Amino acid sequence: MVFSLRRTSAFSIRLAVTLFGLPCTFCATGVNPSVSCPLIYPVRTGNNFRHISTSCSLYKTMPSSAALHVRARSTQYPGSTVARFPVPDDKVDWSLKWAEYKPVSYTAPTVLKKPEWADPDIGSFSPKFNALDGAVDRTSFEGIYKVEDEVPLNPRGRTGLSGRGLLGRWGPNHAADPIVTRWKVDGSGAKVHHSVSKQPILQFVSIMRKDCGEWAIPGGMVDPGEQVSLTLQREFSEEALNSLTVPPSDREKIHERITKLFSSNGFQVYKGYVDDPRNTDNAWMETVAVNFHDEQGNSVSELPLQAGDDAGQVKWVDLDSSLDLYANHSQFLEMVAKERKAHW
């Protein structure tokens, strides 16, 4: 799904909101007349909420963290036999001189075939880094990133691999991760509490990724010019409910339930860099993770889960500290559990 953006106005809105530390997605005139974009949103100030008038979609938010990336330095690059140049913890930061650093150069064959979602090679086009480049957002939630020898540098440091790997864009590759939760209940509808923590147990919709076999949040890439709020809804519908293949009558029911849930006040869990095994020195994943909670269990909870094209399996999973999920998805879920005062 590709929409056009008015580059100047959209960038101005994003810049203004970013200066105030607020999450932002764009509502541009002519983007999609069937999608309404409310003008009034609640924003937390201290322990209270105030309302502001804006054209950006705002969520209650938690700050991103700047932990040292680990999965982005995994020995073998996923989906290949390519081994990264070993990068110890004390050599990750670009500010540290390291003359011996010789990263392996690798861009996956699928990317080199120039699919619609991928950039051409550097030299054959001139991307505008740290800016809105037409409909492609090349700004980073991490701030201004360096560009050396015409290629962007990963803001979290060295990964042992140059090029783009499996990622389509040079620089930030933007994704959206919808975390859909409900309370675990017994046969009578009462919340189930954990035997040790005594706190109620949350469940979230999880998919098993086909590419690596790991369980994950059912997210996906933000299309050029697409509002993040629409990406969240689209990806959940396609990956967890397989909305693209269900009969039209069922599709309408799914759309109604999903629209209702995703139009509710979402809790923005995270916005920033993702410690993804696909990251390279010149291409990396960033995401906006938002929690949408089915408090009464009568919304998405009543829809049958069905895995989409990129998912091998899909199911409701109990939130627990023992979860081992893709990238840093476990970190996102821990934040949700704390916010909802649930077991972790």
Side-chain angles (χ1 to χ4, degrees):
M1 188 184 303
V2 180
F3 305 121
S4 63
L5 278 178
R6 291 186 177 181
R7 178 181 169 192
T8 302
S9 60
F11 182 72
S12 299
I13 292 172
R14 180 177 184 127
L15 178 61
V17 175
T18 302
L19 290 174
F20 285 94
L22 299 173
C24 172
T25 55
F26 304 127
C27 298
T29 303
V31 168
N32 190 337
S34 66
V35 179
S36 62
C37 204
L39 296 179
I40 306 296
Y41 297 89
V43 178
R44 171 170 279 182
T45 57
N47 295 321
N48 301 311
F49 282 90
R50 65 183 176 89
H51 290 80
I52 64 173
S53 178
T54 176
S55 59
C56 293
S57 177
L58 303 180
Y59 303 103
K60 189 175 115 184
T61 180
M62 293 186 74
S64 63
S65 63
L68 198 67
H69 58 194
V70 176
R71 292 178 184 246
R73 292 181 286 146
S74 56
T75 302
Q76 185 170 317
Y77 192 81
S80 75
T81 58
V82 177
R84 295 179 187 267
F85 187 93
V87 181
D89 291 352
D90 62 352
K91 293 292 193 299
V92 172
D93 198 314
W94 291 111
S95 64
L96 300 172
K97 301 298 181 183
W98 191 16
E100 295 79 15
Y101 183 55
K102 305 294 181 184
V104 178
S105 179
Y106 175 70
T107 298
T110 53
V111 178
L112 292 175
K113 289 179 181 178
K114 301 179 181 179
E116 183 181 357
W117 47 266
D119 288 332
D121 281 332
I122 294 292
S124 61
F125 83 131
S126 301
K128 296 180 175 65
F129 293 119
N130 289 302
L132 278 174
D133 187 11
V136 177
D137 186 1
R138 299 191 191 278
T139 64
S140 170
F141 294 136
E142 301 291 299
I144 302 298
Y145 51 87
K146 294 181 179 180
V147 179
E148 291 186 0
D149 298 325
E150 299 185 338
V151 295
L153 294 183
N154 189 314
R156 292 294 181 90
R158 299 180 176 94
T159 67
L161 194 87
S162 62
R164 282 175 289 163
L166 288 164
L167 300 179
R169 304 292 179 194
W170 293 97
N173 288 253
H174 291 287
D177 290 311
I179 305 173
V180 175
T181 57
R182 69 180 184 185
W183 295 110
K184 186 175 185 177
V185 297
D186 58 21
S188 65
K191 293 180 182 178
V192 175
H193 289 69
H194 193 267
S195 59
V196 177
S197 70
K198 307 303 181 184
Q199 292 180 303
I201 298 174
L202 269 178
Q203 296 181 316
F204 81 106
V205 175
S206 180
I207 64 166
M208 177 183 285
R209 295 175 60 105
K210 284 184 177 180
D211 57 355
C212 62
E214 293 186 81
W215 287 92
I217 298 165
M221 306 306 295
V222 179
D223 288 337
E226 185 179 33
Q227 299 174 50
V228 172
S229 57
L230 293 182
T231 307
L232 290 162
Q233 182 172 329
R234 171 176 58 79
E235 286 296 331
F236 183 80
S237 298
E238 293 178 3
E239 297 305 319
L241 302 174
N242 201 18
S243 60
L244 296 179
T245 62
V246 298
S249 57
D250 292 339
R251 193 177 307 163
E252 183 176 344
K253 179 181 178 182
I254 289 174
H255 178 73
E256 180 181 348
R257 294 287 183 93
I258 290 294
T259 300
K260 182 179 179 180
L261 178 65
F262 280 66
S263 63
S264 63
N265 289 332
F267 162 52
Q268 183 177 284
V269 180
Y270 181 85
K271 181 181 72 172
Y273 181 88
V274 179
D275 185 11
D276 194 293
R278 294 170 295 179
N279 291 353
T280 74
D281 286 358
N282 313 122
W284 60 91
M285 289 296 301
E286 298 190 9
T287 196
V288 176
V290 182
N291 174 217
F292 296 96
H293 183 58
D294 185 1
E295 178 67 27
Q296 303 302 322
N298 58 4
S299 180
V300 176
S301 298
E302 296 181 347
L303 294 175
L305 299 179
Q306 184 176 350
D309 287 343
D310 295 332
Q313 299 179 45
V314 58
K315 64 180 181 180
W316 288 96
V317 175
D318 294 355
L319 265 69
D320 188 87
S321 59
S322 64
L323 290 174
D324 183 18
L325 302 175
Y326 182 80
N328 50 347
H329 289 188
S330 293
Q331 174 192 349
F332 301 165
L333 294 175
E334 181 179 6
M335 294 177 182
V336 171
K338 290 180 178 179
E339 172 69 16
R340 303 285 177 191
K341 295 179 173 56
H343 166 71
W344 179 250

